[in-house]
Amino acid sequence: LYDDPWEGIQPVFVERAPGVDNDALRFLAGGHIEVTWRIREGMSWSDGTPLTSADMALVFEAMPNPGVVEVTTPDERTMVVHWSDRLAAALDPPWAWPAHVLRPVYEAGGYDAVLDHRRTTPLPSLGPYQIVGFEKKSHLEATANPHFPGPQPSIPNMKMVYYEDRAQLTADFEAGKVDIITPNSVTLEQAQDLAGSRPEAVHIRSSAIFIYIHPDLE
C-alpha cells in the first residue's frame, strides 16, 4: 500500500486495502478479526519471479506475531490472517520476502540465518530499483526495476560508494566524482569547511536524531 498525502491509502501490489467498507476485513466472534490480502495479478520481484502469498506468509512464519492466531494461503495470490483481537496493526500492509531465495535459508538456519543473509546479500526487490552490483565496504549499484508497477525513477542508474576516509569523500565531491554526500557522512566541521567553497551544495540543520542520557537514580 502507498499512503498518498492527498489521495490517502492507495493499493499498489494488492487489489485493495482491507477496511470496514469491504469484505477483506471480517469481524469474527470473540473480538477476533480476519484480514485478507490479495495480490494484484502480474506482480513480480525485480528478477521476474512472481510475487506470491508465500512471500508474505514467510515473514509471519519467521517472525511470529503474538496477536496472530493463524495465517493461511488459499491460493498463490491470497493470504488470510486471523487476529485474536481488533488491533490497528492488523490493517498495516504485510511485509514480503522473496521466498524463492529466503525459504531455503530459513529452513537451514531459522530467522538469524535470514537476517544475516539480508545483511550481506542483495535480494530481489519490489521497489523502483534493483541491485545489480554489490561489494561490502566498496560500492552498491542499482538500476531501475523493470517490474515495478509504479512510475519508473527519474534517475535510472545509481551507485553508492563507501568511503573509509571522510577527507577523500569531500575531495571527490569537490572534484565532481561524487554527486551527493548522504547526511552525517562527514563531520560538522568538514561540512562547514565545504560550505566555504560550495555554499549552494551544503545544507546544515538540526538533526532529527535524539540521544537520551538516562541518569542512574541510585
Side-chain angles (χ1 to χ4, degrees):
L1 301 177
Y2 171 64
D3 190 359
D4 187 277
W6 293 278
E7 302 293 333
I9 299 296
Q10 302 295 310
V12 178
F13 287 96
V14 293
E15 291 182 344
R16 59 185 172 178
V20 293
D21 59 343
N22 59 58
D23 61 2
L25 171 63
R26 295 180 59 229
F27 295 92
L28 308 176
H32 292 209
I33 60 174
E34 192 176 80
V35 181
T36 299
W37 299 95
R38 183 159 175 81
I39 299 170
R40 284 173 51 194
E41 189 172 1
M43 297 296 97
S44 299
W45 293 92
S46 59
D47 64 358
T49 302
L51 173 65
T52 70
S53 54
D55 300 322
M56 299 185 293
L58 176 59
V59 180
F60 281 98
E61 184 179 347
M63 299 190 299
N65 187 308
V68 174
V69 177
E70 183 183 29
V71 176
T72 57
T73 51
D75 58 59
E76 289 193 346
R77 289 171 49 205
T78 307
M79 179 179 74
V80 181
V81 185
H82 181 171
W83 294 80
S84 62
D85 203 351
R86 298 176 181 181
L87 303 172
L91 298 182
D92 289 341
W95 291 1
W97 289 347
H100 61 289
V101 176
L102 292 179
R103 165 61 69 180
V105 177
Y106 175 69
E107 292 180 348
Y111 174 73
D112 288 341
V114 170
L115 189 62
D116 185 62
H117 191 91
R118 293 178 65 205
R119 284 172 173 163
T120 58
T121 308
L123 295 173
S125 167
L126 290 177
Y129 287 98
Q130 60 178 342
I131 298 175
V132 294
F134 173 75
E135 185 178 338
K136 187 176 180 180
K137 289 193 174 184
S138 174
H139 67 276
L140 179 149
E141 294 180 78
T143 61
N145 174 7
H147 300 285
F148 182 62
Q152 289 291 292
S154 300
I155 301 174
N157 302 293
M158 177 175 62
K159 183 176 183 179
M160 298 181 67
V161 180
Y162 172 81
Y163 279 85
E164 190 79 42
D165 183 359
R166 289 191 174 104
Q168 186 63 52
L169 170 56
T170 56
D172 283 0
F173 178 78
E174 290 189 278
K177 296 179 180 179
V178 177
D179 298 305
I180 298 172
I181 296 178
T182 57
N184 301 320
S185 295
V186 297
T187 67
L188 175 59
E189 291 76 13
Q190 288 172 319
Q192 291 170 331
D193 290 342
L194 189 58
S197 59
R198 296 288 304 278
E200 82 291 347
V202 179
H203 301 274
I204 299 175
R205 52 186 176 266
S206 299
S207 173
I209 300 172
F210 292 87
I211 298 176
Y212 174 63
I213 303 177
H214 190 285
D216 183 355
L217 300 180
E218 298 180 354

